Amino acid sequence: MPSLLRRVKSKMFIFAHRRTLTLLDGEYGSVFKGRSLDFDELRAYVPGDEVRDIDWKATARHGSPLVKRYVAVRRHSVLLLVDTGRTMAAQALSGESKKDIAVHAAGVLGYLACRHGDDVGLLHGNADTSRYLPPRSGEENLERLLREVEASVALDGPPSSLAEQIDYVLRYLKGRLLIVAVADGFMPDPRTEALMRKLRARHEVLWLTIQDADLAPGADSSPHSTDVGTGQDIPAALAADSKIRAAYAQAMIDREEQRSGIFRRLGIAEQQTTGSEDVLPAVFTLLEKHRSGTPNARGAAGGGKRAG
C-alpha cells in the first residue's frame, strides 16, 4: 500500500524550494519559541511581555495587569483537528476532493511537528461520532493518522459538525495543546462559536480552511452539481445563469466577511487554501499570522458543493 506520508513529502519538495522549506521549519519553530504549552502561574506584567499572555479575568480581579507563566517543556503535543463529515467529500476550488487536500495539509503540519521532535495526535469525526488518537512521536504514527483521515470521509457518511469535536476536546483532553483545525468554509453557529472561544482560551489554535468549489459547472461537467451537505441537486441551467452567479458571488463575499469577523473576534489565526498546490504557502502564512497575532484571512468560502 503506497505511503501517504511519502506522497506528502514528494509534493512538498515539488511545490517548494529548499529555502522555502527552511523558512517553513523556522516559522513552525517560532510558534513555540520562548513559550511552553503548560501553564504554571500568574505574575505581574512587565514591559516586553506578550500582550496575548495577559490573563484579562485575573487582571480585572487583581486591579493590575497579570500575565500567565508557562513551564518549559522539551516536547510539545500537536493535535490535528480534522473534519471528516461528508462535506469533506465535496470538491474544493482546485477541483480536488477536500478529503485529499485535508490529508495533504495534515501531512505537512504533522511532518513539520515530527521534524521538531513533537508528538502528533488526531481528533476527527462528524455529527454522530468523534474519534481520538493520542499524540505520539514518529513518522509511522503520522502515517497511521493520515490513513485514518483518508478512510473516514464518505459521500454517504454523517454530516459534518465540528462543534462535536471541539466539545470533545473541552470535555476530555487535559493539558495545553497546539491545535490545528482542517475543515471547509463552514459558518460557525452560536454554539460552535461559543465552543471555539473556550477552545482558544485553553489552547493554541490555528485554523486552515479548504475553499469550496465554484457554483457554476464547467463546459465539460455533468448536467448538474450536488450540494453534498444537503444532497440537493443544483441544475446546470441555474448554476450557469449570469444573474444567479452574480448573486451567489455577492452572497459569498458577504458570508465571508461575516465569517472572518467571527475568527477576528475569537483571536484565531485562519488561512484558506484552494488546493494541494498552495497548501505550503497557506501553512506558512497561517503560522506567521499565529505568531504575529493576526487572526484571520480574507477569501471565498462555500457550503460543500460537488460536481455530480
Side-chain angles (χ1 to χ4, degrees):
M1 185 178 294
S3 166
L4 293 177
L5 182 55
R6 189 176 301 120
R7 188 187 309 168
V8 168
K9 290 181 183 179
S10 296
K11 285 185 178 181
M12 288 180 70
F13 288 104
I14 289 172
F15 297 147
H17 299 294
R18 180 176 297 176
R19 180 173 179 274
T20 303
L21 294 176
T22 301
L23 289 172
L24 193 60
D25 259 332
E27 202 61 50
Y28 175 89
S30 71
V31 171
F32 294 110
K33 186 177 181 181
R35 296 173 61 85
S36 163
L37 298 182
D38 288 340
F39 173 73
D40 183 21
E41 62 181 2
L42 295 171
R43 66 160 171 79
Y45 174 86
V46 296
D49 284 337
E50 292 276 357
V51 173
R52 64 178 177 176
D53 285 340
I54 295 176
D55 187 319
W56 294 107
K57 290 184 179 179
T59 294
R61 292 193 299 268
H62 188 261
S64 60
L66 297 174
V67 296
K68 299 174 182 177
R69 295 186 65 185
Y70 298 91
V71 178
V73 293
R74 299 182 65 182
R75 174 175 287 175
H76 304 287
S77 293
V78 177
L79 180 68
L80 302 171
L81 177 61
V82 183
D83 176 9
T84 52
R86 66 169 172 258
T87 58
M88 295 299 283
Q91 208 173 71
L93 189 59
S94 65
E96 303 164 271
S97 166
K98 291 180 184 177
K99 176 189 72 173
D100 292 341
I101 300 170
V103 169
H104 182 57
V108 168
L109 290 157
Y111 179 60
L112 286 172
C114 287
R115 283 169 64 97
H116 284 256
D118 294 329
D119 295 336
V120 184
L122 172 68
L123 177 63
H124 73 91
N126 49 54
D128 292 350
T129 185
S130 296
R131 178 165 162 77
Y132 173 58
L133 287 79
R136 291 192 172 91
S137 62
E139 293 189 2
E140 184 176 340
N141 169 66
L142 180 56
E143 175 72 24
R144 183 169 67 98
L145 303 186
L146 299 182
R147 292 202 175 279
E148 178 84 10
V149 172
E150 184 185 55
S152 300
V153 179
L155 278 172
D156 58 354
S160 298
S161 179
L162 269 175
E164 303 310 317
Q165 284 73 63
I166 296 173
D167 185 60
Y168 186 101
V169 175
L170 295 172
R171 285 176 180 270
Y172 303 115
L173 302 190
K174 307 302 180 183
R176 195 166 174 85
L177 301 165
L178 174 66
I179 298 177
V180 186
V182 181
D184 71 352
F186 80 107
M187 176 66 75
D189 59 22
R191 176 185 175 232
T192 306
E193 184 177 349
L195 290 169
M196 290 168 69
R197 181 174 290 106
K198 291 180 181 178
L199 190 73
R200 171 66 181 83
R202 299 185 191 178
H203 304 281
E204 301 277 345
V205 182
L206 298 84
W207 206 281
L208 187 66
T209 296
I210 300 172
Q211 291 189 28
D212 198 17
D214 287 329
L215 173 66
D220 298 327
S221 71
S222 60
H224 68 276
S225 293
T226 300
D227 186 311
V228 170
T230 64
Q232 295 180 335
D233 286 344
I234 305 171
L238 290 179
D241 184 276
S242 60
K243 292 182 179 179
I244 291 177
R245 290 175 60 186
Y248 176 84
Q250 184 58 52
M252 290 300 98
I253 291 173
D254 295 342
R255 181 179 185 274
E256 182 54 31
E257 287 182 353
Q258 180 184 353
R259 188 172 174 277
S260 294
I262 292 174
F263 281 93
R264 189 163 52 249
R265 288 197 303 274
L266 295 173
I268 295 176
E270 187 233 8
Q271 180 62 30
Q272 303 189 3
T273 179
T274 60
S276 59
E277 289 193 16
D278 75 343
V279 162
L280 277 181
V283 168
F284 181 87
T285 302
L286 178 62
L287 293 168
E288 188 176 41
K289 286 179 177 180
H290 181 75
R291 174 182 55 79
S292 64
T294 305
N296 69 327
R298 301 292 291 276
K305 294 177 298 303
R306 173 184 180 272

